[in-house]
Amino acid sequence: MNVNLFTKNIITLDEIDSTNSYAEKIISKNKPPEGTIILAKKQNKGRGLDKNKWESEDYKNLIFSIIIYPTFLKIYDQFLITIFISLAIKDFLQELIPEEKVSIKWPNDIYVHNKKICGILIQNASLGENLNQSIVGVGININQEHFISDAPNPISLKNISNQNYDLNFLIAPLSEHLQKRYLEIQDIKQLENIKNEYLNNLYKINTPSKFIVENNEKTGIIKGIDEFGRLEIRFDNQTEAFDLKEVKFVIKGI
């Protein structure tokens, strides 16, 4: 039986600027064991994608970073880190709110219906042709009821279920889902299945949706992702692949 990597070394901090920044510091000083989780009760400078900030009310949410050493992955396969973490968080949340529609908004935001419940920031480093380390920062909205930033569509578990959750009791089930999905991306026999699961759980997959491309609003249909993790969208009769900054979802009626 595999020992769960993600329960071996959990560092809990009362207050920190950023869990990803803290992870960078401890890696540079003394390489911690794989699966180390840095968990913050209060984060002052949470980092989002492209210099965005992550809003999180103190002591209300799960804010953490994970350190892994996926040296088994080639650089061109690094999107598997996105697949692993996205599916693990999606599974974890779906277990808590089984009646709700939980999906993955490409590449790695987690949505409940049309609202964002989780943001993920992945920092990969390579050595030669392979990945050397990954720091995966995660913010999951749990007990926060009101959001004051200009984020357009946040939601929390409490908003959905009207329940309070004990954050301490969420770590064990979360770790189980992390372990399961991390092992899957290490098993070549599982790769096709896990890639298909990611696709099947993509937000708006195979549904006509609006996007901003080169400052123009266009209607297209998400058809999948290519071998590099780029989003494939069909516009009229042509399918195009987009990197992260090349396309933006238009989410209305939220």
Side-chain angles (χ1 to χ4, degrees):
M1 184 175 179
N2 291 299
V3 176
N4 192 322
L5 286 175
F6 303 98
T7 59
K8 292 168 64 176
N9 189 38
I10 299 176
I11 302 169
T12 302
L13 305 169
D14 286 329
E15 184 173 352
I16 193 67
D17 55 351
S18 158
T19 56
N20 268 31
S21 297
Y22 185 88
E24 291 170 357
K25 290 175 185 175
I26 63 173
I27 288 173
S28 67
K29 292 180 180 178
N30 184 21
K31 187 176 179 180
E34 183 170 42
T36 291
I37 294 178
I38 298 104
L39 187 67
K41 296 179 181 179
K42 180 179 179 181
Q43 182 173 248
N44 298 320
K45 297 179 181 178
R47 290 153 58 181
L49 193 64
D50 197 23
K51 298 183 180 179
N52 292 328
K53 294 182 179 180
W54 179 256
E55 177 191 353
S56 180
E57 189 175 347
D58 301 344
Y59 313 109
K60 292 289 184 72
N61 304 310
L62 282 178
I63 304 294
F64 59 96
S65 292
I66 302 164
I67 297 171
I68 54 173
Y69 306 116
T71 55
F72 56 90
L73 288 179
K74 298 293 185 184
I75 294 172
Y76 54 74
D77 283 329
Q78 64 184 295
F79 197 75
L80 283 169
I81 301 298
T82 294
I83 290 176
F84 136 67
I85 191 67
S86 300
L87 282 174
I89 301 299
K90 187 263 177 192
D91 294 343
F92 165 70
L93 289 168
Q94 193 71 77
E95 197 170 65
L96 293 169
I97 45 172
E99 302 301 319
E100 307 295 335
K101 172 66 174 175
V102 183
S103 59
I104 302 164
K105 178 174 165 288
W106 177 88
N108 53 20
D109 284 339
I110 310 301
Y111 269 47
V112 178
H113 301 293
N114 290 317
K115 297 197 173 186
K116 181 175 176 177
I117 195 168
C118 173
I120 298 168
L121 177 65
I122 300 171
Q123 298 171 253
N124 293 323
S126 60
L127 183 64
E129 295 182 348
N130 288 58
L131 291 183
N132 183 43
Q133 68 187 40
S134 296
I135 299 171
V136 183
V138 181
I140 309 176
N141 299 328
I142 305 292
N143 291 321
Q144 185 165 342
E145 295 182 79
H146 306 289
F147 297 86
I148 60 175
S149 74
D150 58 0
N153 55 343
I155 198 170
S156 71
L157 279 179
K158 186 169 184 181
N159 289 151
I160 297 164
S161 67
N162 202 31
Q163 295 180 39
N164 270 311
Y165 296 83
D166 188 326
L167 300 182
N168 294 320
F169 284 102
L170 296 179
I171 303 303
L174 173 62
S175 298
E176 291 298 319
H177 289 295
L178 291 171
Q179 173 82 348
K180 175 180 180 290
R181 294 302 188 175
Y182 192 49
L183 290 175
E184 285 179 352
I185 66 168
Q186 297 177 56
D187 183 353
I188 193 168
K189 295 178 182 178
Q190 297 269 18
L191 289 183
E192 196 63 31
N193 287 339
I194 197 172
K195 288 176 181 178
N196 286 334
E197 275 197 75
Y198 176 86
L199 290 179
N200 291 336
N201 284 286
L202 269 185
Y203 177 73
K204 298 292 188 182
I205 185 77
N206 292 321
T207 302
S209 306
K210 293 188 181 298
F211 304 89
I212 301 294
V213 179
E214 296 180 344
N215 295 320
N216 295 314
E217 185 173 301
K218 303 172 67 174
T219 298
I221 300 175
I222 296 173
K223 301 308 294 180
I225 57 171
D226 70 7
E227 58 184 313
F228 304 109
R230 296 182 300 177
L231 188 66
E232 294 180 327
I233 306 175
R234 190 177 71 209
F235 296 108
D236 297 324
N237 294 318
Q238 182 177 356
T239 299
E240 303 176 46
F242 297 90
D243 281 322
L244 189 58
K245 296 181 182 180
E246 296 175 342
V247 64
K248 182 178 179 181
F249 286 80
V250 178
I251 303 174
K252 298 179 178 179
I254 57 178

